[in-house]
Amino acid sequence: MNPCVSARRSILLAGTIAGLLLAAPVFAQQPPASAPPAAAPAAAPPAAAAPAAAPAAAPALPPGSPLIGRPEGNEAASKLAPVAAPPIPAAPDKLPTAKLKLPPGFNIEVYASGIANARSLRVGDKGTVFVGTRFGNKVTAVVKKDGKTELKTIASGLYRPNGLAYHNGTLYIAELSQISKIDNVEANLDNPPKPTVIYSDLPKDEAHGWKFIAIGPDNKLYVEVGQPGNNVLHDKDHGQIRRINLDGSGAEVVALGVRHSVGFDWNPLNKQLYFSDNGRDWMSEDVPEDELNRVTKVGEDFGAPYCYQGNIPDPEFGWGHSCSEFVPPILLTGPHSAGLGLRFYTGKMFPAKYKNAIFLARHGSWNRSKKFGGDILVVYLNKDGTVKSSEPFMTGFLENNNYVGRPVDVEIMSDGSMLVSDDWNGAIYRITYGKAKVTGR
């Protein structure tokens, strides 16, 4: 073969192969061979779907909400929230007295029922029992007459009248942001005068805004002002126990570092103030424990929000602080047990071992998967005022991890019997020792 012809064929073949290789991607994008040659180019593939919209953000929690600080994405924590009580008081025949347990020799009976959200208790000189409420708007008097129980409204139109105190015929009422009084109250049960405000220099925060008050051995009125939230750095007007003169003057801070106390009383032997305090939420299921504290001098600081239960620095606010800076509790009363009202037993009905012991109402936990508390704890003291031991005294409010009642406050009657309020059922129980005596409802 002529070399020139061979060369031309080789060049032509190489060009053809190169053209095919360059055109291959184009051919790959063409319609199938069966499509008509004149068909319009294939439509572009549909655009990819837009990413799904992110879930709407949960509405912001109101200031001071108990759910602030709940761990996100935690299934167990997401199931925990404050436990709402039944909407109306339990009927007398539905009260759980048969389920409530006491030591041998003690008896329980219904002292009064039908008092919505029954909370703080005080007893007048004539035996009238006054009852405060956290969610209602009135103060109720329980009067026993001719074997019957009468409920009388002493004051209405109030806002969170949780705290009560009684002294020399005068009833003191603590609302969210003020304290008022009714003089000579037991002589005017059927036509009580409107309460007279004596002190209004109190914060208006809803969070931990319900108050507990009591009259001390110094004839001054003591009031707690809690932290305005679960765990917050607060101003100088929160997280404390104050005392004022009975006319509302002379306010003074007695104790600092108090998260939220809903119960205090004075040791009848050394006149020192003992108070319950509820620890913060959402640190864990088991810590911090709630506290029983003792004030030995004015101005002591009990740690919150920097330190809890005396030995746990707060993970958020504890930086730069040591728990050694603060006064530790004299007793840890259990994780989230919600210790509320307490009284020293000064009566003569109960056995001698209970003389000057502390009875503490533990309302019971809500921010714990396995609930704890829901009982009355008795705390025995040494002669120097320190804790000797403690044990449950009245149990049965918690059944199969559900509440059948929730104790709030205790009060000692003149005959030595003890009253217990139950805000879950809207009732008051009376505890006696010895042969049971039925009291009319």
Side-chain angles (χ1 to χ4, degrees):
M1 181 181 293
N2 187 317
C4 291
V5 174
S6 176
R8 286 196 298 270
R9 290 179 177 176
S10 297
I11 293 171
L12 180 61
L13 179 61
T16 302
I17 294 173
L20 290 172
L21 291 173
L22 290 171
V26 177
F27 291 146
Q29 297 178 35
Q30 299 303 310
S34 59
L61 294 169
S65 167
L67 300 184
I68 292 176
R70 182 168 64 179
E72 296 182 5
N74 185 298
E75 183 179 357
S78 69
K79 298 176 181 178
L80 302 177
V83 183
I88 59 174
D93 61 349
K94 300 297 183 182
L95 293 170
T97 50
K99 298 180 178 181
L100 303 179
K101 307 301 180 185
L102 293 161
F106 285 90
N107 314 289
I108 182 171
E109 61 187 352
V110 176
Y111 188 80
S113 60
I115 308 171
N117 193 235
R119 299 273 294 188
S120 296
L121 300 174
R122 293 296 175 186
V123 179
D125 296 327
K126 298 178 181 180
T128 307
V129 176
F130 299 97
V131 190
T133 176
R134 175 182 165 189
F135 294 121
N137 66 354
K138 64 183 180 180
V139 173
T140 302
V142 182
V143 179
K144 297 289 183 177
K145 186 176 181 180
D146 300 327
K148 297 181 180 180
T149 301
E150 296 181 45
L151 302 181
K152 300 177 182 289
T153 297
I154 297 304
S156 59
L158 307 176
Y159 191 68
R160 298 200 188 285
N162 184 83
L164 300 177
Y166 181 90
H167 183 69
N168 289 343
T170 298
L171 179 69
Y172 297 85
I173 304 169
E175 299 176 70
L176 183 83
S177 59
Q178 66 182 22
I179 300 173
S180 58
K181 69 174 184 175
I182 302 176
D183 292 325
N184 202 20
V185 63
E186 284 188 289
N188 296 283
L189 295 178
D190 292 321
N191 189 27
K194 183 178 179 180
T196 301
V197 176
I198 62 168
Y199 187 68
S200 58
D201 188 19
L202 291 169
K204 294 181 171 59
D205 307 279
E206 290 288 342
H208 298 155
W210 53 100
K211 304 291 188 291
F212 184 90
I213 58 174
I215 309 295
D218 54 4
N219 285 331
K220 291 180 181 287
L221 189 150
Y222 287 65
V223 57
E224 184 264 1
V225 184
Q227 289 186 19
N230 168 38
N231 194 51
V232 294
L233 283 175
H234 50 76
D235 60 23
K236 63 180 180 59
D237 296 324
H238 293 83
Q240 61 191 234
I241 296 175
R242 305 178 192 176
R243 65 183 175 190
I244 59 176
N245 296 322
L246 296 183
D247 62 0
S249 65
E252 176 187 16
V253 175
V254 175
L256 298 163
V258 180
R259 181 179 175 273
H260 188 39
S261 175
V262 196
F264 44 80
D265 197 12
W266 287 263
N267 188 323
L269 300 179
N270 61 23
K271 310 305 180 184
Q272 292 178 340
L273 175 65
Y274 288 65
F275 69 92
S276 61
D277 199 8
N278 292 178
R280 62 158 291 181
D281 302 323
W282 306 124
M283 186 185 292
S284 82
E285 297 247 6
D286 297 319
V287 294
E289 293 195 37
D290 290 346
E291 304 171 4
L292 177 65
N293 293 293
R294 175 177 63 158
V295 180
T296 60
K297 61 182 179 181
V298 171
E300 288 180 316
D301 193 322
F302 293 85
Y306 308 107
C307 174
Y308 289 99
Q309 72 170 48
N311 57 10
I312 297 181
D314 184 76
E316 184 176 1
F317 300 123
W319 298 93
H321 292 274
S322 168
C323 284
S324 63
E325 300 172 29
F326 309 107
V327 179
I330 61 171
L331 178 69
L332 299 181
T333 57
H336 311 298
S337 62
L340 301 183
L342 64 88
R343 300 289 190 282
F344 280 85
Y345 184 76
T346 55
K348 297 180 180 179
M349 179 184 289
F350 292 5
K353 65 179 282 189
Y354 297 103
K355 185 71 173 180
N356 298 325
I358 298 172
F359 285 94
L360 170 65
R362 296 194 294 189
H363 199 227
S365 63
W366 60 262
N367 55 336
R368 197 170 188 271
S369 298
K370 185 177 181 180
K371 294 181 175 65
F372 182 86
D375 59 13
I376 303 295
L377 185 74
V378 59
V379 182
Y380 306 101
L381 302 180
N382 297 307
K383 291 183 179 180
D384 64 358
T386 58
V387 171
K388 181 179 181 180
S389 63
S390 65
E391 61 182 351
F393 173 77
M394 181 181 184
T395 61
F397 291 99
L398 186 57
E399 183 179 69
N400 298 323
N401 212 35
N402 291 299
Y403 291 110
V404 297
R406 299 188 78 179
V408 177
D409 200 11
V410 297
E411 182 65 301
I412 311 303
M413 301 287 280
S414 60
D415 65 357
S417 61
M418 185 172 71
L419 302 181
V420 177
S421 62
D422 173 1
D423 66 350
W424 184 269
N425 291 301
I428 301 170
Y429 311 109
R430 179 171 177 255
I431 309 301
T432 59
Y433 182 78
K435 187 177 180 180
K437 296 180 180 179
V438 178
T439 299
R441 294 178 181 176

Coordinates of all heavy atoms in Angstrom, one line a residue, residues 112-154:
A112 N -61.6 19.0 109.8 CA -62.4 19.9 109.0 C -62.1 19.5 107.5 O -61.0 19.0 107.2 CB -62.1 21.4 109.2
S113 N -63.1 19.7 106.7 CA -63.0 19.4 105.3 C -63.7 20.5 104.5 O -64.4 21.3 105.0 CB -63.5 18.0 104.9 OG -64.9 17.9 105.2
G114 N -63.5 20.4 103.1 CA -64.2 21.4 102.3 C -63.5 22.7 102.2 O -64.1 23.7 101.9
I115 N -62.2 22.8 102.6 CA -61.5 24.1 102.6 C -60.5 24.0 101.4 O -59.4 23.4 101.5 CB -60.7 24.3 103.9 CG1 -61.7 24.2 105.1 CG2 -60.1 25.7 103.9 CD1 -61.0 24.2 106.4
A116 N -60.8 24.6 100.3 CA -60.0 24.5 99.1 C -58.5 25.0 99.4 O -58.3 26.0 100.0 CB -60.6 25.3 98.0
N117 N -57.6 24.1 99.0 CA -56.2 24.5 99.1 C -55.8 24.9 100.5 O -55.1 25.9 100.7 CB -55.8 25.6 98.1 CG -54.3 25.7 97.9 OD1 -53.8 26.8 98.1 ND2 -53.6 24.7 97.6
A118 N -56.2 24.1 101.5 CA -55.9 24.4 102.9 C -54.4 24.4 103.1 O -53.7 23.4 102.9 CB -56.6 23.4 103.8
R119 N -53.8 25.5 103.7 CA -52.4 25.6 103.8 C -52.0 25.9 105.2 O -52.0 25.1 106.1 CB -51.8 26.6 102.8 CG -52.1 26.3 101.3 CD -51.0 25.5 100.7 NE -49.7 26.2 100.7 CZ -48.6 25.7 100.1 NH1 -48.7 24.6 99.4 NH2 -47.5 26.4 100.1
S120 N -51.6 27.2 105.5 CA -51.0 27.5 106.8 C -52.1 27.5 107.9 O -53.3 27.8 107.6 CB -50.5 28.9 106.8 OG -49.3 29.0 105.9
L121 N -51.7 27.1 109.1 CA -52.7 26.9 110.2 C -52.2 27.8 111.4 O -51.0 27.8 111.7 CB -52.7 25.4 110.7 CG -53.2 24.4 109.6 CD1 -53.0 23.0 110.2 CD2 -54.6 24.7 109.2
R122 N -53.2 28.4 112.1 CA -53.0 29.1 113.3 C -54.2 28.9 114.2 O -55.3 28.8 113.7 CB -52.7 30.6 113.1 CG -51.4 30.9 112.4 CD -50.2 30.5 113.1 NE -49.0 30.7 112.4 CZ -47.8 30.3 112.7 NH1 -47.6 29.7 113.9 NH2 -46.7 30.5 112.0
V123 N -53.9 28.8 115.5 CA -55.0 28.6 116.5 C -55.1 29.8 117.4 O -54.1 30.3 117.9 CB -54.7 27.3 117.3 CG1 -55.8 27.1 118.3 CG2 -54.6 26.1 116.4
G124 N -56.4 30.3 117.5 CA -56.6 31.4 118.4 C -56.8 31.0 119.8 O -56.8 29.8 120.2
D125 N -56.9 32.0 120.7 CA -57.0 31.8 122.2 C -58.2 31.0 122.5 O -58.2 30.3 123.5 CB -57.0 33.1 122.9 CG -55.7 33.9 122.7 OD1 -54.6 33.3 122.6 OD2 -55.7 35.1 122.7
K126 N -59.3 31.1 121.8 CA -60.5 30.4 122.0 C -60.7 29.1 121.3 O -61.7 28.5 121.2 CB -61.7 31.4 121.7 CG -61.7 32.6 122.6 CD -62.9 33.5 122.2 CE -62.9 34.8 123.1 NZ -64.0 35.7 122.7
G127 N -59.6 28.7 120.6 CA -59.6 27.4 119.9 C -60.0 27.5 118.4 O -60.1 26.5 117.7
T128 N -60.3 28.7 117.9 CA -60.6 28.9 116.5 C -59.3 28.6 115.7 O -58.2 29.0 116.0 CB -61.0 30.3 116.2 OG1 -62.1 30.7 117.1 CG2 -61.4 30.5 114.8
V129 N -59.5 27.8 114.6 CA -58.4 27.4 113.7 C -58.6 28.3 112.5 O -59.6 28.2 111.8 CB -58.5 25.9 113.4 CG1 -57.4 25.6 112.4 CG2 -58.3 25.1 114.7
F130 N -57.5 29.0 112.2 CA -57.5 29.9 111.0 C -56.7 29.2 109.9 O -55.6 28.6 110.2 CB -56.9 31.2 111.3 CG -57.7 32.0 112.4 CD1 -57.3 32.0 113.7 CD2 -58.9 32.7 112.0 CE1 -58.1 32.7 114.7 CE2 -59.6 33.4 113.0 CZ -59.2 33.4 114.3
V131 N -57.2 29.3 108.7 CA -56.6 28.5 107.6 C -56.3 29.5 106.4 O -57.2 30.1 105.9 CB -57.5 27.4 107.1 CG1 -56.8 26.5 106.1 CG2 -58.1 26.6 108.3
G132 N -55.0 29.5 106.0 CA -54.6 30.3 104.8 C -54.7 29.4 103.5 O -54.8 28.2 103.6
T133 N -54.4 30.1 102.4 CA -54.5 29.3 101.1 C -53.5 30.0 100.2 O -53.3 31.2 100.2 CB -55.9 29.3 100.5 OG1 -55.8 28.7 99.2 CG2 -56.4 30.7 100.3
R134 N -52.9 29.2 99.3 CA -52.0 29.8 98.3 C -52.7 30.2 97.1 O -52.3 31.2 96.4 CB -50.9 28.7 98.0 CG -49.9 29.1 96.9 CD -49.0 28.0 96.6 NE -48.3 28.2 95.3 CZ -47.5 27.3 94.7 NH1 -47.3 26.1 95.3 NH2 -46.9 27.5 93.6
F135 N -53.7 29.4 96.7 CA -54.4 29.7 95.4 C -55.7 30.3 95.5 O -56.2 30.9 94.6 CB -54.5 28.3 94.6 CG -53.2 27.7 94.2 CD1 -52.9 26.5 94.6 CD2 -52.4 28.4 93.4 CE1 -51.7 25.9 94.2 CE2 -51.2 27.9 93.0 CZ -50.8 26.6 93.4
G136 N -56.3 30.3 96.7 CA -57.6 31.0 96.9 C -57.4 32.4 97.2 O -56.3 33.0 97.2
N137 N -58.5 33.1 97.6 CA -58.5 34.5 97.9 C -59.1 34.8 99.3 O -59.5 36.0 99.5 CB -59.2 35.3 96.8 CG -60.7 35.0 96.8 OD1 -61.2 34.1 97.5 ND2 -61.5 35.7 95.9
K138 N -59.2 33.8 100.2 CA -59.8 34.1 101.5 C -59.1 33.3 102.6 O -58.4 32.4 102.4 CB -61.3 33.8 101.4 CG -61.6 32.3 101.2 CD -63.1 32.0 101.1 CE -63.4 30.5 101.0 NZ -64.9 30.3 100.9
V139 N -59.4 33.8 103.8 CA -58.9 33.2 105.0 C -60.1 32.6 105.7 O -61.2 33.3 105.8 CB -58.2 34.1 105.9 CG1 -57.9 33.4 107.3 CG2 -56.9 34.6 105.3
T140 N -60.0 31.3 106.1 CA -61.2 30.6 106.7 C -61.0 30.4 108.2 O -59.8 30.1 108.6 CB -61.4 29.3 106.0 OG1 -61.6 29.5 104.6 CG2 -62.6 28.5 106.5
A141 N -62.0 30.4 108.9 CA -62.0 30.1 110.4 C -62.8 28.8 110.6 O -63.9 28.7 110.0 CB -62.6 31.2 111.2
V142 N -62.2 27.9 111.3 CA -62.9 26.6 111.6 C -63.3 26.7 113.1 O -62.5 26.9 114.0 CB -62.0 25.4 111.4 CG1 -62.7 24.1 111.8 CG2 -61.4 25.4 110.0
V143 N -64.6 26.6 113.3 CA -65.2 26.8 114.6 C -65.9 25.5 115.0 O -66.7 25.0 114.3 CB -66.2 28.0 114.7 CG1 -66.7 28.1 116.1 CG2 -65.4 29.3 114.3
K144 N -65.6 25.0 116.2 CA -66.3 23.8 116.7 C -67.3 24.2 117.7 O -67.0 25.0 118.7 CB -65.3 22.8 117.4 CG -64.2 22.3 116.5 CD -64.8 21.2 115.5 CE -63.7 20.6 114.6 NZ -64.3 19.6 113.7
K145 N -68.6 23.8 117.5 CA -69.7 24.3 118.4 C -70.7 23.2 118.4 O -71.2 22.7 117.4 CB -70.3 25.6 117.9 CG -71.3 26.2 118.8 CD -71.8 27.5 118.3 CE -72.8 28.2 119.2 NZ -73.3 29.5 118.7
D146 N -71.0 22.8 119.6 CA -72.1 21.7 119.9 C -71.8 20.5 119.0 O -72.8 19.9 118.5 CB -73.4 22.3 119.6 CG -73.8 23.5 120.5 OD1 -73.3 23.5 121.6 OD2 -74.5 24.4 120.0
G147 N -70.6 20.1 118.9 CA -70.2 18.9 118.2 C -70.3 19.0 116.7 O -70.1 18.0 116.0
K148 N -70.4 20.2 116.2 CA -70.5 20.5 114.8 C -69.3 21.4 114.4 O -68.8 22.1 115.2 CB -71.8 21.1 114.4 CG -73.0 20.2 114.6 CD -74.3 20.8 114.1 CE -75.5 19.9 114.4 NZ -76.8 20.6 113.9
T149 N -69.0 21.3 113.1 CA -67.9 22.2 112.5 C -68.5 23.2 111.6 O -69.3 22.9 110.7 CB -66.9 21.3 111.7 OG1 -66.4 20.3 112.6 CG2 -65.8 22.2 111.2
E150 N -68.2 24.5 111.9 CA -68.6 25.6 111.1 C -67.4 26.2 110.4 O -66.3 26.4 111.0 CB -69.3 26.7 111.9 CG -70.6 26.2 112.6 CD -71.2 27.3 113.4 OE1 -71.3 28.5 112.8 OE2 -71.6 27.1 114.5
L151 N -67.6 26.5 109.1 CA -66.5 27.2 108.4 C -67.0 28.7 108.1 O -68.1 28.9 107.6 CB -66.2 26.5 107.0 CG -65.8 25.1 107.1 CD1 -65.6 24.6 105.7 CD2 -64.6 24.9 108.0
K152 N -66.2 29.6 108.6 CA -66.5 31.0 108.4 C -65.4 31.7 107.6 O -64.2 31.5 107.8 CB -66.7 31.7 109.8 CG -67.7 31.1 110.7 CD -67.8 31.8 112.0 CE -68.8 31.2 112.9 NZ -70.2 31.5 112.5
T153 N -65.8 32.6 106.7 CA -64.9 33.4 105.9 C -64.5 34.6 106.8 O -65.3 35.5 107.1 CB -65.4 33.8 104.6 OG1 -65.7 32.6 103.8 CG2 -64.4 34.7 103.8
I154 N -63.2 34.8 107.1 CA -62.7 35.9 107.9 C -62.3 37.1 107.0 O -62.5 38.2 107.4 CB -61.5 35.4 108.8 CG1 -62.0 34.3 109.7 CG2 -60.9 36.6 109.5 CD1 -63.1 34.7 110.6

